[in-house]
Amino acid sequence: MAEESLETDGPRSSMPAELHHPHSKYSQWKFKLFRLRSMEKAPLPTETRPEKGALLGISPPAALNIEFDNGMGPGSVMKLCLGGKSQEYVEGPGRRVDMKLQEMETHMNQLRCLCRLCGMVLRKVNGPVHNVNEDLDEVSKGALRKMGCKFPSWPGVILKVFKVDVTEDTESVHPLSFCHRCWVVAIRGGGVCSFSRTRVPEWKPHSSTCHLCSPRKHSFQRTGRKRRKAIPRAQSLAKRTRRDHGDSIAVGERRALRPFGDHHHGPVLRAWRKPSIQREQWVRNITHCQKDHLNIKLISEKLPVDFLCSFKCLVCDHLLSDPVQSPCGHLFCRSCIIKYNHVLGPHCPACNLCCGVDDLAPPAKAFLSALYSLSLLCPRSGCGKQVRLDSFKAHCLGHELDEQDDKQQSSELDNYLLANKGGRPRQHLLSLTRRAQKHRLRDMKNQLKAFADKEEGGDLKSVCQTLFLLALRSGNEHRQADELEATMQAIRVNTFLSCSQYHKMYRTVKATSGRQIFQPLHTLRAAEKELLPGFHQFEWQPALRNVSTSCSVGIINGLSGWASSVDDIPADTITRRFRYDVALVSALKDLEEDIMEGLRESGMEDNACTAGFSVMIKESCDGMGDVSEKHGGGPAVPEKAVRFSITVMSVSVLAGEGEDKVTIFTETKPNSELSCKPLCLMFVDESDHETLTAVLGPVVAERNAMTESRLILSMGGLPRSFRFHFRGTGYDEKMVREVEGLEASGSTYVCTLCDSTRAEASQNMVLHSITRSHEQNLDRYEIWRTNPFSESVDELRDRVKGISAKPFMETQPTMDALHCDIGNATEFYKIFQDEIGEVYKKVKPSREERRSWRAALDKQLRKTVKLKPVMRMNGNYARRLMTQEAVEVVCELVPSEERREALRELMSIYIQMKPVWRATCPAKECPDQLCRYSFNSQRFADLLSSTFKYRYNGKITNYLHKTLAHVPEIIERDGSIGAWASEGNESANKLFRRFRKMNARQSKAFELEDVLKHHWLYTSKYLQKFMEAHKNSAKAMQATIDPVESQDYEDILSSLEVKDF
């Protein structure tokens, strides 16, 4: 036994096989003569070197187990014997990682003792210690408030006083506390400045030359004395004590060598008995995942140990949470490996191979399914349920919610009893005012808003409606719940939910309530098909020229009808549209109830009116600007979009032969986005004339074919005949010039309605008439193209009056009310600046002077009228700027009283003129202003040509010219300008961006299809009436059930400040 013990315990047992002598009975003292210096273990930088003459230690056997599978053959062992000192051959990867963890633990312990701001040791400074990331305590907050500092937490104060940002500090690099001396400095400076020169040290990550773990001895540096060299001595073995059983430590029934440099007995022995405990403590200080990740002991089934180890994170030893796989095949929690690599460097904790965060990838789906199917035992006392891993979080959350409800009920009951002792009784929620309701429901509103932002994409309205519906079902009020359920059939369109979001909400509500509150997704899609173009049957008499007779045509490619020749190049764009005739059929079927109701109100028989229907269509087309998104693939197309839309303005019928037409339907809100139906969406720049011609060419061809035919469509159970009249009025100045082939807005020819030049328009501002037309523009383009009289460029340009491209779409000669208002507001904004700087006295003011005038104007408007400056004029800014109140504010900056009166008069005349072109029907809404329009326009022109001659001498803007010269003629011909504006198409731009974000897909083509479909459904009259009707029926039903406490549920939603979509 003695020989056996000697053979296993001595240093000979840990030698490589090549060093074993064939005669194994040599004693230990003989082996000491053959000890190789290469077997010494170099101490780490954090360890102290052994004293002179101390025992030369040997690494534990676990560190000297040389694995030949990893590429270490006999050659590498001989290299070790020949004097190699690399730890790569002495220690295994696990031992090296443990040593690095131990170094980081020592480094972090050093940091915890230092001040973050001055670097001094905390125990040397009298007073409490403060955390750099905590909120201000009451004493500090009170002291700083007296000096005017309103920061709620220490990071803001430290940034202001010490000029150091501590919000991004990490525990492994920076100390987390600061001393009382720095606290006094911050308080004396009032949280704003520092009256002492505190030099904040620069904290660097731990390295081999860390000044905290390996400090220099400053005594030698101060005196300049030379360091004395150590006298080399022959290394000898230390003398053993009687209790020491050799250089080994008992671990179970085995004996392991004591590590190098370890001369203490008690605590070190305990540490080496279980090194995994120390490692776990080191990793815990890095990951901080004990509260988030699950222990592997929660697995209820008795599974093989090796099988369980595959589901364990190799960093934190917990069950894998959001697992990722390294290139070497090891698995970790995502958060753990990121924190580990941040502290210890980019390498694998298991095999020490190089592994960065970008190299991590999700594991295979088969492994994830096996992981999530593990059965865990609920640790809550009294539960004892076995829950799958994928639903374990929801199960524990249910326990927490139950506990919170119990605590809240008990606390509310206690508060109620305490608050009502001898006081006023607590009023019911519905009997309170709106303000009191908001105050009482404030906490619940914040919780609902947080839940909606986190789970439902910010859709607070659907969350409140779902809660109200569940409350009705729980109270067995099923009749009222059915009414509300019918209202929520169209919830996906009206709340901008995608298919996956709606299906998720449907499954969640059905699983939690046990009832089918929402209709399943396939039922909703079947209902949507009836509202989309391509569902109804129709016929054209005669058949449309060059158009298919198929009725079931949905969304098509916008370039499908383009007749390309050999020389033409296909347009490099993505466009999707409905076929024009199919879209008109769907729009008419959507108005079927309104048309039949109009027939009944007019006193006409349904059976008699089967022909003679006339439909007026307003066409709108405008660019939406930059709509670029980070998602989507496909060809390189411009990230600018254009939408072509239609609006059914009116439907009239011929009562009989020789009688006038009777209007049976008129659009009440022609400028709303709810009435502007999208026909074509395209990714193209509106300035690209060739691409617009290619995309809108088929649309124009279909429109021309429909004007020569009549539609036979079933309406009210009978086939009826419809004829269509198209008016292209929803275009702004830029788009009209593009489609009619005119030059840009800054050209000599100022107007799209007449042939006046800019100089002629400024000399005669009022007396002009509409002379341009689509046919005339086509004839002029032919002259421009052929030049039959062989004229020069200037002569030819004067002859064609600014036509330089082929007109491809007919537009109605009119004025866009929205852009006219914006253009005039822009001109008034410039007039205000000129009057502030008194430009009428100066010849050419500098750019710096103009900037100062604009800054003064913006400051005055923002201070008095609360009008924030904008980079580009918009409709909201224009409406608030063009008021008498804004002029009075500007007049405070104008020095001359005479110029102030001129500005007031100019704005007063404009305010009288504006309702004429903005009103839907000016003859009914503003007849007085319409009668005085010619007089007001003449007075306005006189002011511009006299008082403001410095600005309008030989020039005038496009919209001012149209406002003064063409408004009475357009209203006399059309009856209105505001009803035919492009405001509905403009206000629908925000819908495009919202629908595109909702339907984000990999392909822009499919994405455009989804946006077009959802936008068409959003404008459906049937859905709007359906929701409104069921909303009213829900009110009546609730008033019938409980007339005393009848309260519209929308009032409750509005008390929670739900924003309408």
Side-chain angles (χ1 to χ4, degrees), residues 20-287:
H20 277 284
H21 198 272
H23 303 284
S24 59
K25 294 185 180 181
Y26 285 163
S27 59
Q28 290 189 12
W29 68 270
K30 292 183 179 180
F31 176 72
K32 297 169 189 173
L33 301 176
F34 300 96
R35 175 178 290 128
L36 298 175
R37 188 173 180 82
S38 62
M39 296 182 63
E40 296 179 13
K41 176 181 178 298
L44 293 172
T46 56
E47 296 178 349
T48 57
R49 295 186 178 273
E51 298 179 359
K52 302 169 185 179
L55 170 66
L56 178 66
I58 307 297
S59 299
L64 286 178
N65 288 337
I66 300 172
E67 299 181 4
F68 293 95
D69 297 336
N70 293 336
M72 288 191 64
S76 60
V77 176
M78 291 304 296
K79 181 181 178 181
L80 174 68
C81 296
L82 291 175
K85 296 182 182 180
S86 177
Q87 289 188 2
E88 185 179 358
Y89 302 109
V90 179
E91 298 178 341
R95 176 64 178 165
R96 289 195 303 275
V97 172
D98 289 348
M99 287 297 153
K100 196 163 188 179
L101 285 171
Q102 185 179 1
E103 286 186 24
M104 286 305 304
E105 176 67 16
T106 306
H107 180 72
M108 292 166 66
N109 288 335
Q110 296 279 359
L111 289 176
R112 293 187 188 103
C113 302
L114 301 178
C115 174
R116 170 66 176 87
L117 303 176
C118 63
M120 292 189 63
V121 181
L122 295 175
R123 58 183 174 82
K124 293 184 178 180
V125 181
N126 296 328
V129 178
H130 309 271
N131 197 328
V132 295
N133 291 313
E134 285 184 351
D135 295 337
L136 295 174
D137 56 295
E138 296 299 329
V139 178
S140 305
K141 187 182 297 183
L144 293 175
R145 283 289 172 87
K146 293 179 181 179
M147 301 183 185
C149 179
K150 298 182 180 180
F151 288 109
S153 58
W154 281 115
V157 178
I158 294 174
L159 180 60
K160 199 70 176 178
V161 176
F162 298 96
K163 306 298 185 293
V164 177
D165 187 9
V166 298
T167 55
E168 299 181 357
D169 286 4
T170 56
E171 189 179 1
S172 59
V173 180
H174 308 87
L176 301 181
S177 305
F178 64 98
C179 63
H180 190 64
R181 184 180 299 173
C182 298
W183 178 86
V184 172
V185 172
I187 296 299
R188 287 178 178 174
V192 178
C193 61
S194 175
F195 293 107
S196 65
R197 298 181 180 178
T198 303
R199 183 178 180 182
V200 181
E202 181 182 359
W203 303 99
K204 297 181 179 180
H206 176 67
S207 61
S208 59
T209 60
C210 179
H211 67 283
L212 294 178
C213 304
S214 301
R216 300 175 181 176
K217 292 188 178 181
H218 302 283
S219 59
F220 295 103
Q221 296 177 0
R222 281 198 309 265
T223 58
R225 290 181 295 171
K226 194 173 182 180
R227 183 189 293 270
R228 182 179 299 175
K229 294 184 179 180
I231 301 175
R233 290 187 181 182
Q235 296 181 352
S236 58
L237 293 175
K239 193 173 183 179
R240 294 183 188 171
T241 59
R242 186 170 297 179
R243 291 186 178 182
D244 193 359
H245 299 285
D247 293 340
S248 62
I249 304 168
V251 181
E253 296 180 357
R254 299 173 53 193
R255 293 184 181 273
L257 287 176
R258 179 179 289 117
F260 173 76
D262 190 2
H263 305 294
H264 305 283
H265 302 290
V268 180
L269 287 175
R270 287 194 298 269
W272 276 103
R273 286 173 188 168
K274 290 186 177 180
S276 61
I277 298 177
Q278 184 65 31
R279 174 189 172 86
E280 182 181 355
Q281 180 65 31
W282 292 334
V283 174
R284 188 183 296 119
N285 293 334
I286 295 175
T287 59

Side-chain angles (χ1 to χ4, degrees), residues 663-947:
T663 302
I664 58 178
F665 169 76
T666 303
E667 179 58 55
T668 57
K669 296 181 179 180
N671 290 325
S672 172
E673 69 269 15
L674 296 175
S675 60
C676 192
K677 295 181 175 292
L679 182 71
C680 179
L681 293 176
M682 62 199 96
F683 284 116
V684 62
D685 191 354
E686 58 179 329
S687 303
D688 190 351
H689 183 83
E690 290 76 11
T691 310
L692 275 180
T693 306
V695 174
L696 297 180
V699 177
V700 176
E702 293 171 6
R703 183 185 69 174
N704 296 336
M706 285 187 290
T707 56
E708 302 173 358
S709 182
R710 59 192 179 96
L711 173 68
I712 308 299
L713 178 65
S714 176
M715 187 77 67
L718 294 175
R720 306 180 191 272
S721 174
F722 296 87
R723 283 194 177 274
F724 294 92
H725 304 277
F726 302 93
R727 299 188 64 184
T729 60
Y731 303 95
D732 59 355
E733 175 94 5
K734 184 178 181 181
M735 185 58 68
V736 169
R737 291 179 176 273
E738 283 294 331
V739 300
E740 288 287 0
L742 291 167
E743 294 176 349
S745 301
S747 65
T748 304
Y749 296 92
V750 66
C751 187
T752 59
L753 305 178
C754 64
D755 297 335
S756 302
T757 62
R758 199 172 296 275
E760 296 172 355
S762 64
Q763 294 173 2
N764 180 14
M765 295 187 181
V766 179
L767 300 177
H768 295 277
S769 61
I770 299 175
T771 57
R772 290 185 186 269
S773 63
H774 184 67
E775 293 76 12
Q776 186 189 48
N777 292 337
L778 285 173
D779 295 340
R780 288 176 173 176
Y781 172 72
E782 288 298 321
I783 296 176
W784 173 265
R785 187 177 63 86
T786 58
N787 193 8
F789 304 105
S790 301
E791 297 172 317
S792 64
V793 176
D794 295 335
E795 295 173 346
L796 185 62
R797 188 163 174 262
D798 292 338
R799 179 180 294 275
V800 299
K801 304 299 181 183
I803 300 296
S804 59
K806 183 178 181 180
F808 64 91
M809 181 178 292
E810 181 180 1
T811 61
Q812 190 74 11
T814 184
M815 180 181 73
D816 183 53
L818 173 65
H819 291 87
C820 182
D821 199 8
I822 294 175
N824 291 338
T826 305
E827 190 62 21
F828 267 84
Y829 186 75
K830 295 178 181 178
I831 291 176
F832 292 159
Q833 297 179 39
D834 293 345
E835 290 300 317
I836 292 173
E838 297 181 318
V839 180
Y840 61 93
K841 296 182 180 179
K842 304 176 182 179
V843 181
K844 289 184 179 181
S846 63
R847 184 175 298 178
E848 288 74 14
E849 290 178 334
R850 290 189 177 275
R851 286 178 181 174
S852 64
W853 302 337
R854 179 172 182 176
L857 177 60
D858 290 339
K859 184 178 180 180
Q860 183 75 359
L861 291 175
R862 185 167 189 170
K863 178 182 178 182
T864 311
V865 198
K866 308 298 182 185
L867 198 57
K868 298 180 180 179
V870 292
M871 296 294 295
R872 184 181 179 185
M873 184 68 66
N874 53 56
N876 294 329
Y877 193 94
R879 278 188 287 271
R880 296 184 60 186
L881 181 67
M882 306 302 287
T883 58
Q884 204 68 37
E885 180 187 4
V887 172
E888 294 296 333
V889 171
V890 175
C891 286
E892 297 178 3
L893 302 177
V894 177
S896 173
E897 183 64 30
E898 182 183 356
R899 311 298 296 187
R900 296 178 194 169
E901 292 299 329
L903 274 180
R904 293 190 183 101
E905 185 180 1
L906 194 69
M907 180 60 73
S908 177
I909 296 173
Y910 183 84
I911 293 175
Q912 295 180 33
M913 296 166 59
K914 179 180 175 180
V916 176
W917 75 76
R918 291 292 290 173
T920 303
C921 184
K924 295 181 181 180
E925 298 177 16
C926 51
D928 296 337
Q929 288 92 333
L930 180 61
C931 293
R932 292 177 55 85
Y933 192 88
S934 298
F935 173 77
N936 289 332
S937 61
Q938 185 63 50
R939 177 58 184 155
F940 194 92
D942 293 342
L943 281 174
L944 293 183
S945 58
S946 60
T947 308

Side-chain angles (χ1 to χ4, degrees), residues 296 447 958:
I296 200 167
Q447 294 177 6
N958 304 9

Side-chain angles (χ1 to χ4, degrees), residues 367-497:
F367 175 81
L368 292 177
S369 61
L371 173 64
Y372 294 142
S373 62
L374 289 176
S375 180
L376 305 181
L377 187 64
C378 180
R380 189 61 59 95
S381 60
C383 181
K385 291 185 179 180
Q386 294 185 0
V387 189
R388 285 169 55 96
L389 178 59
D390 50 3
S391 58
F392 189 79
K393 184 177 181 180
H395 178 76
C396 295
L397 184 60
H399 286 304
E400 294 179 2
L401 293 177
D402 293 341
E403 288 184 357
Q404 291 179 3
D405 292 342
D406 296 340
K407 292 180 181 179
Q408 187 174 2
Q409 289 177 3
S410 60
S411 62
E412 286 180 357
L413 182 60
D414 296 340
N415 294 335
Y416 179 80
L417 293 175
L418 291 173
N420 288 281
K421 283 185 178 181
R424 179 181 171 186
R426 187 178 180 86
Q427 294 181 348
H428 193 271
L429 179 65
L430 299 180
S431 63
L432 297 175
T433 62
R434 183 69 56 82
R435 184 174 181 180
Q437 286 176 348
K438 290 181 179 180
H439 180 72
R440 186 177 292 184
L441 299 176
R442 180 178 54 189
D443 295 336
M444 188 178 73
K445 180 196 71 173
N446 295 333
Q447 294 177 6
L448 284 176
K449 190 175 181 181
F451 174 79
D453 293 340
K454 183 179 180 182
E455 301 292 340
E456 300 299 330
D459 189 7
L460 185 59
K461 186 171 184 178
S462 64
V463 175
C464 296
Q465 286 180 338
T466 308
L467 287 175
F468 181 60
L469 189 56
L470 291 175
L472 292 178
R473 295 289 187 188
S474 62
N476 293 326
E477 299 178 9
H478 297 292
R479 293 178 59 189
Q480 188 176 354
D482 292 338
E483 295 289 339
L484 183 59
E485 178 184 347
T487 306
M488 299 174 71
Q489 291 297 321
I491 190 173
R492 185 164 76 88
V493 175
N494 290 301
T495 55
F496 303 94
L497 291 177

